[in-house]
Every structure is written in C-alpha cells, then in structure tokens.
Amino acid sequence: MVYTSVEDPTKEYTSGTYPKQEQPAPGLQKRMTPVPDCGEKTYKGSGKLLGRKALVTGGDSGIARAAAIAYAREGADVAINYLPYEQSDAEDVKALIEEAGRKALLIPGDLTDEGFCKEMVDRANQELGGLDILALVAGMQQAYKSIAELPTNVLRKTFETNVFSLYWTVKAALPHLPKGASIITTSSVQAFSPSPELLSYSPTKSAISAFTKGLAKELAPKGIRVNSVAPGPIWTPLQVCGGQIKSDISKFGQNTPFKRAGQPAELAGVYVYLASNDSSYVTGQIYGVTGGLPTA
Ligand code: NAD
Ligand code: MG
C-alpha cells in the first residue's frame, strides 16, 4: 500500500483464492499461507498517540496485531494479551513494538477467567505507568453446518470469550482510566447480517454492539469514549481455525462488493482514529470496515 498514490481498492492487498488450510484454534499467524499483512512493512506513524498507554487483547495476531503495531508507531506504549499457545506470534509483536522505540508488555492468559481479566488490567496499568486506550479485540469463532451440531460448551465459551470478558476487563479498568481515555470493542458485520453457520458467534457481536452503545452513554459524562469496529471478512488465524466451514476458505471474502477479503493492515487506521483525539466528538458508534458489506 502506497499512502500517497491513488490505489484501486479492489486490487489492494492479497486477493483471489486462498489455499485450503486448517489449524487448531487459536492457531498461529506465522503458519498461515499467505501470512496475514498486519502492516509490519507499511504502517507509518505520525505521533497521533505520543505518550499514550494501550492494552490490546488478542494482540499477537490478526486485527489486534495490526492495531498494536500502529499504536506503537504512533508513539504509544503497548501491552498485549493472548493465549499461552500464541507466545511465538506475541514475541514477534513485542519486537516490532520495541523497534518503534516503545515499551512492550506481554500478558498471556485466558480472558474467560474473570480473575485473569483483573490481573491483566492491573499489570498493564502498573507496568506501563497508566492506561488510557483499551482495544478489546480478542474473540473466538467456530462454524457449524447446523444449530443441531453446535455443542453447548462452544456456545458458552464463545459468549464468555467475546462478551463476558468485556464486562470483566472494563470493570477492572475503570478505576484506572483518566478523562480522555478510549475504549474500543470489536463487533462484526455478522452483527448485522448473520451467517447461518455462525449462530454461536454472530449474536455475541450484536451483544458487543449493544454493550458499546450503552457503555458509551454511561461513560460520556466521565470523559471516556467507547466505540466499536465492525470488520467484514479479514484474513486472520480465526478464519482458518474452525471459523469457516472448511470448503468455504478458498472463496473467503469474495462475497463482498470488492470481491476480496481484507487484510488486518486495513483496520489499523480506524483503531488509531478511535483511540486518538481525532475522534474527540465520537462515542457510541460502530465503524464498519467491510469491503462494502452493509453494517445497518
Ligand atoms: P485472530 O485469531 O488473529 O485474533 C483472535 C485473538 O483472540 C487470538 O489471537 C487470541 O489471542 C484471542 N483469544 C481468543 N480466545 C481467547 C481467550 N479465551 N483468552 C485470551 N485471548 C483469546 O483473529 P482476528 O480475526 O484478528 O480476530 C480479532 C477480532 O476480530 C475478533 O473479535 C473477531 O471476532 C473479530 N472479527 C474478525 C473478522 C475476520 O473476518 N477475521 C471479522 C469480524 C470480526
Ligand atoms: Mg492469535
């Protein structure tokens, strides 16, 4: 991506078909073909988040990794959370944050554990010396052909990961967040146009939209903004770790008006915008980055 030239959005980034591939969840981004583009070689900062302190959940890979890299290059110190299995992807992100001259903090652990959510927030706050950006991006997605095949333990874990962890993390963070802080959640195009095979997932994304809008109203008088990003189909580990019915992976993203999947790098800008003072008059909003799929 060349920022200064006029580029055709239908031709940007990887397009065409994807090779069939599968990993057990949560997967490793470095084992994907092609490896997702999280802006490692392209994102250029311009001091928009100088001196800020960010906690990014899911920051080892995919969309959150793109946000973490961009935050560091915009001048923020960044703590990332991920599952212990993802340590090697997380180490790569730590190196990129440090190359940007910022402090990187790795906090592995499971967000379905309320006690861990509090420990994570307290560690980030203490070791970064404050906290003013919460980018809550971690999530899980498992596809099943029918509701009849959907196991209750997957349903429960999906809600705990995608929804309950937000309550636990925000409750723990509120005492630390100053006026001017920004909370960013991660919804999905699935909240607006649910696929039948994602019945455990899409309702969590509607819940996140409602959570975001309601929390924004509560926190507006405290000077804390709360917004959400609703991505369309983005090439990330989540999609090759049971997030799609296997046979669908090769055509991933071709149902969009741009007829291609997005890359995580294409989300970095909106996570930076919503964290920065550029969005000082924005709260309670859901920002679609979907290749043209509707988010209303
Ligand atoms: P990803 O696999 O790179 O990121 C998901 C991350 O969630 C993992 O890296 C993992 O660290 C974290 N995670 C999952 N379960 C966890 C748990 N119990 N405890 C701690 N961390 C846990 O995939 P991604 O697509 O970048 O996903 C990021 C977010 O974007 C998710 O919320 C997902 O629902 C959302 N999203 C993705 C797409 C897409 O097409 N990829 C579309 C819409 C929304
Ligand atoms: Mg990961």
Side-chain angles (χ1 to χ4, degrees):
M1 156 75 114
V2 181
Y3 287 98
T4 47
S5 62
V6 180
E7 299 289 334
D8 176 353
T10 68
K11 303 283 183 318
E12 286 287 275
Y13 297 93
T14 314
S15 58
T17 55
Y18 287 97
K20 288 214 166 114
Q21 56 199 286
E22 214 187 339
Q23 294 184 47
L28 287 178
Q29 142 148 359
K30 53 165 62 79
R31 293 203 185 135
M32 289 175 69
T33 313
V35 172
D37 181 344
C38 295
E40 291 87 346
K41 297 206 170 85
T42 47
Y43 191 90
K44 287 195 174 59
S46 56
K48 282 185 185 295
L49 301 174
L50 206 54
R52 301 283 298 267
K53 316 272 184 199
L55 169 61
V56 182
T57 66
D60 60 294
S61 62
I63 296 166
R65 175 181 175 123
I69 293 168
Y71 285 175
R73 291 187 188 170
E74 295 290 356
D77 293 331
V78 185
I80 64 168
N81 158 253
Y82 50 93
L83 287 163
Y85 176 83
E86 302 169 298
Q87 186 68 26
S88 63
D89 274 350
E91 300 280 354
D92 295 344
V93 177
K94 181 173 189 273
L96 289 161
I97 294 168
E98 288 172 349
E99 267 170 39
R102 307 311 310 185
K103 185 166 184 180
L105 180 60
L106 298 184
I107 315 182
D110 189 338
L111 294 169
T112 65
D113 174 349
E114 181 174 4
F116 170 73
C117 292
K118 181 159 184 347
E119 272 169 42
M120 168 184 73
V121 167
D122 289 346
R123 259 196 78 191
N125 179 62
Q126 191 160 14
E127 294 182 40
L128 296 183
L131 200 54
D132 52 57
I133 300 168
L134 270 191
L136 306 176
V137 193
M140 65 169 282
Q141 170 182 320
Q142 291 290 300
Y144 294 90
K145 282 192 176 131
S146 159
I147 188 171
E149 293 173 16
L150 175 53
T152 297
N153 65 326
V154 171
L155 181 58
R156 198 167 269 138
K157 197 173 163 202
T158 309
F159 271 81
E160 284 179 359
T161 307
N162 296 5
V163 183
F164 288 14
S165 72
L166 301 186
Y167 291 81
W168 298 330
T169 305
V170 169
K171 277 171 80 170
L174 275 184
H176 304 303
L177 295 180
K179 286 185 189 299
S182 172
I183 300 173
I184 305 161
T185 65
T186 306
S187 179
S188 169
V189 71
Q190 287 290 328
F192 305 92
S193 181
S195 301
E197 64 278 7
L198 293 178
L199 275 185
S200 56
Y201 173 81
S202 43
T204 68
K205 295 297 169 174
S206 303
I208 293 169
S209 297
F211 173 83
T212 302
K213 291 177 187 174
L215 186 67
K217 288 179 189 159
E218 175 183 339
L219 298 186
K222 295 186 163 61
I224 297 171
R225 299 180 300 102
V226 191
N227 293 287
S228 194
V229 178
I234 310 299
W235 184 244
T236 67
L238 172 130
Q239 298 295 357
V240 300
C241 296
Q244 297 285 311
I245 303 289
K246 271 182 233 169
S247 54
D248 293 349
I249 262 295
S250 58
K251 292 186 184 143
F252 183 62
Q254 292 188 4
N255 61 332
T256 63
F258 283 163
K259 301 207 176 341
R260 68 166 176 92
Q263 290 292 322
E266 299 183 273
L267 280 293
V270 74
Y271 281 90
V272 168
Y273 170 70
L274 291 173
S276 78
N277 294 337
D278 282 352
S279 58
S280 56
Y281 199 48
V282 177
T283 199
Q285 305 303 307
I286 317 288
Y287 274 69
V289 182
T290 65
L293 292 172
T295 51

